[in-house]
Amino acid sequence: MLNQQNILIGMGGGIAAYKVCEVISSLFQQGVNVRVILTNTAQQFITPLTVSTLSRHQAYTDADFWQPIHSRPLHIELGEWANLFLIAPLTANTLGKLTSGLADNLLTNTVLASNCPILLAPAMNTDMWEQPTVQRNWQQLQEYSRYHTIGPGAGLLACDRVGSGRMAEPSEIITKLQSLLYTKGQQDFQGKRILISAGGTREYLDPVRFIGNPATGKMGLALAQASRDRGAVVTLIHGPIASELLPTPSNYRRIPVVSAGQMEKEMLTHFSEADIIIMSAAVADVKPAQYSQVKLPKNTLPKSLELESVSDIIAQLGKIKEPHQCLIGFAAQTGDIVTPAIDKLKRKQLDIIVANPVDQNNAGFGSDNNQAIFIHAKGQQKKIDSCSKLELAHQLLDFVAKIR
C-alpha cells in the first residue's frame, strides 16, 4: 500500500518530533519516497542531519525556501510532488496558521501549493490543547475535506502532566497513512453505520481456565479502522485483545466482551441500528457445561469435559436481518475453503462471506497479513491474494460498495 508513494512530512516544533523520526524510518523501509520540511522551531528538537539520514534525502528548511530560485519555487515542486502530506507534530501555532490560510514559512506555503490529502497529528500540553481558541481552530479545520486527523491521545506528557495532547503513536500514524493512500482521502461510506465483531471469545471452566482460540482481533481492528477512515460510524464489539493492538484513542466506539454470551447480547443490542454488519470474530462453538466459581485443584479436574453448544450469533442475525442491511460473515477454513464457506453463506442467510485459509503461511490467526475469497449470495466471487489485513479490509469494503 505504501511502496513508491510520495509522502511529504512537515515537522512542527515540539518534543513529539522524536516520534516522527520513527515514522520517517518506517516509511522508508516500506519503500516510500519521503521528503521532510522542518520549521525553525522543529530544528530546536531534531536536526536536519537526522531527518536527511533517515529519509535518505535532503531535509528542507526555511533557509532553503529563501534561496534564489534556480528552477521552480521549492514549495510548488514539493506540493505537486506529494501524494500525501503529514504534519506532525502539529503545534498550536501551525494549526492557527492553517485555519487562517496564512503562509509565512516553507511548511505553510507548501500546504497552500498542494492539493493532496493532509493528515494532522497534533501534540501539545493539555492546557494548550484545551484552550477554546485551539479547539475552535481544530474543529474549523476539519470542515475542509482535504484535512484528516489522528489523535491526540491522553497519557503522560513531556511536561509531566497527565492528560490529553499526546501525539498518536508512529504505528497508528502509519496505519492512517496507508488508509489515506488507498482511499485518496475519499469517504465513500460517509454516514453509514457499521457494526463489527472481532477477536476470539473465552468460555471459562473456572476463574483461570477457559476454552478459546488463537484469534488476536487484528482483522476486526483493520476492518474498524478502514471503515472509520472511509467515513462510517463504527461500533466494534471485541473479545480480549492485547492492549498494544488497540488504538489510543480510537475514533470509533469499542465495546469489550469476554464470552460468546456477552458478544451475543451486545451484537443483538446494536444490530438494528447498523447498515452493514461484519462478523469477523472467532466465536466459540462450545463451552463447559459446568462453571466453577473457584479454581479447581489439578487433581479434581474432570478426565472428560462435558460441553454444551453456545448460541450461533450470526445465524440469529441472519434471521432478523432487514432488507436494507448487509450481513457479512467470515469462514476460517483449511483445505478447500470455498465449499464450506458457500454452505455457511446459505445456511445462515448471509449476504457476503469471506473465506480465508488458516493453514497458509502468513495468513489467518495472529498474522499481519491475510488472503481470502469474497463470495456474494448471488454468486459473485473475488479472490484476494496475500496482503496486509488493512488492505484486505479496504478491498472488502470495495466489494460491498460495488455489489450493493
Side-chain angles (χ1 to χ4, degrees):
M1 296 176 73
L2 293 175
N3 190 43
Q4 294 307 307
Q5 296 287 335
N6 297 335
I7 297 182
L8 180 62
I9 299 177
M11 294 177 65
I15 190 62
Y18 80 91
K19 290 185 178 180
V20 184
C21 292
E22 183 177 341
V23 174
I24 295 168
S25 179
S26 296
L27 290 175
F28 176 81
Q29 292 175 44
Q30 295 181 57
V32 176
N33 302 312
V34 184
R35 304 288 183 269
V36 183
I37 298 171
L38 294 99
T39 64
N40 286 334
T41 51
Q43 295 173 66
Q44 303 301 311
F45 297 90
I46 300 295
T47 68
L49 177 59
T50 298
V51 170
S52 61
T53 301
L54 294 173
S55 66
R56 278 66 162 185
H57 196 275
Q58 174 189 353
Y60 298 104
T61 68
D62 282 356
D64 302 301
F65 185 38
W66 302 117
Q67 289 297 314
I69 297 173
H70 298 291
S71 54
R72 303 178 69 218
L74 179 58
H75 64 297
I76 302 297
E77 288 195 350
L78 290 173
E80 292 179 351
W81 173 85
N83 300 126
L84 189 60
F85 201 158
L86 166 67
I87 301 179
L90 174 69
T91 63
N93 184 49
T94 299
L95 172 60
K97 291 178 181 180
L98 296 179
T99 306
S100 301
L102 299 179
D104 65 348
N105 59 15
L106 177 56
L107 173 58
T108 51
N109 272 273
T110 306
V111 168
L112 296 186
S114 64
N115 291 301
C116 63
I118 298 177
L119 178 60
L120 305 172
M124 62 193 78
N125 164 267
T126 302
D127 289 330
M128 296 175 66
W129 172 248
E130 293 178 351
Q131 286 293 326
T133 51
V134 171
Q135 287 301 304
R136 179 200 64 199
N137 289 342
W138 180 242
Q139 296 302 322
Q140 183 177 332
L141 206 59
Q142 292 180 72
E143 295 176 2
Y144 300 97
S145 60
R146 73 176 299 210
Y147 289 106
H148 304 265
T149 64
I150 183 168
L156 179 64
L157 307 181
C159 59
D160 291 331
R161 177 77 177 271
V162 176
S164 57
R166 181 182 176 90
M167 195 177 83
E169 297 305 314
S171 61
E172 296 166 357
I173 292 174
I174 290 171
T175 297
K176 185 76 172 186
L177 291 172
Q178 290 172 328
S179 276
L180 287 174
L181 285 171
Y182 188 94
T183 64
K184 296 179 173 56
Q186 298 301 309
Q187 298 198 323
D188 52 344
F189 281 77
Q190 184 73 44
K192 292 292 185 183
R193 296 185 175 273
I194 301 183
L195 176 63
I196 301 169
S197 71
T201 60
R202 296 177 178 180
E203 308 304 324
Y204 278 84
L205 170 65
D206 64 18
V208 299
R209 302 180 181 94
F210 61 85
I211 297 174
N213 58 64
T216 59
K218 290 181 179 180
M219 190 68 243
L221 290 171
L223 287 162
Q225 185 67 50
S227 299
R228 185 63 188 85
D229 288 342
R230 293 170 75 153
V233 177
V234 176
T235 298
L236 177 68
I237 299 171
H238 64 83
I241 294 177
S243 59
E244 61 268 21
L245 297 179
L246 295 172
T248 52
S250 62
N251 52 1
Y252 48 82
R253 178 169 52 173
R254 289 196 293 108
I255 302 174
V257 298
V258 176
S259 68
Q262 293 170 347
M263 182 169 285
E264 175 188 23
K265 177 182 176 182
E266 295 295 342
M267 290 296 294
L268 290 172
T269 297
H270 298 282
F271 180 76
S272 62
E273 65 192 38
D275 301 301
I276 300 169
I277 304 91
I278 308 176
M279 194 75 186
S280 69
V283 182
D285 297 308
V286 295
K287 65 179 181 179
Q290 301 294 326
Y291 173 72
S292 171
Q293 296 287 346
V294 298
K295 179 184 176 182
L296 296 171
K298 183 176 180 180
N299 60 1
T300 67
L301 289 174
K303 299 301 181 183
S304 60
L305 188 61
E306 184 181 355
L307 302 174
E308 62 181 37
S309 298
V310 300
S311 297
D312 191 329
I313 301 174
I314 199 167
Q316 289 187 69
L317 301 181
K319 292 177 181 178
I320 63 175
K321 176 174 65 74
E322 297 291 339
H324 74 277
Q325 292 180 305
C326 178
L327 180 58
I328 303 170
F330 271 65
Q333 301 289 345
T334 60
D336 174 17
I337 65 173
V338 173
T339 302
I342 292 175
D343 177 64
K344 180 177 179 179
L345 174 79
K346 294 177 178 177
R347 282 189 296 105
K348 303 191 179 184
Q349 303 177 62
L350 310 182
D351 296 291
I352 296 170
I353 195 161
V354 179
N356 63 293
V358 293
D359 57 352
Q360 300 294 317
N361 291 329
N362 208 19
F365 295 127
S367 172
D368 292 328
N369 292 345
N370 210 346
Q371 55 184 285
I373 298 175
F374 303 154
I375 306 171
H376 189 266
K378 294 183 179 179
Q380 299 97 321
Q381 294 189 16
K382 182 177 181 180
K383 185 176 184 294
I384 308 297
D385 293 327
S386 181
C387 61
S388 72
K389 288 185 173 177
L390 181 63
E391 182 171 354
L392 190 140
H394 277 294
Q395 295 212 45
L396 178 58
L397 293 177
D398 289 345
F399 189 73
V400 172
K402 184 176 181 181
I403 292 295
R404 300 237 350 130

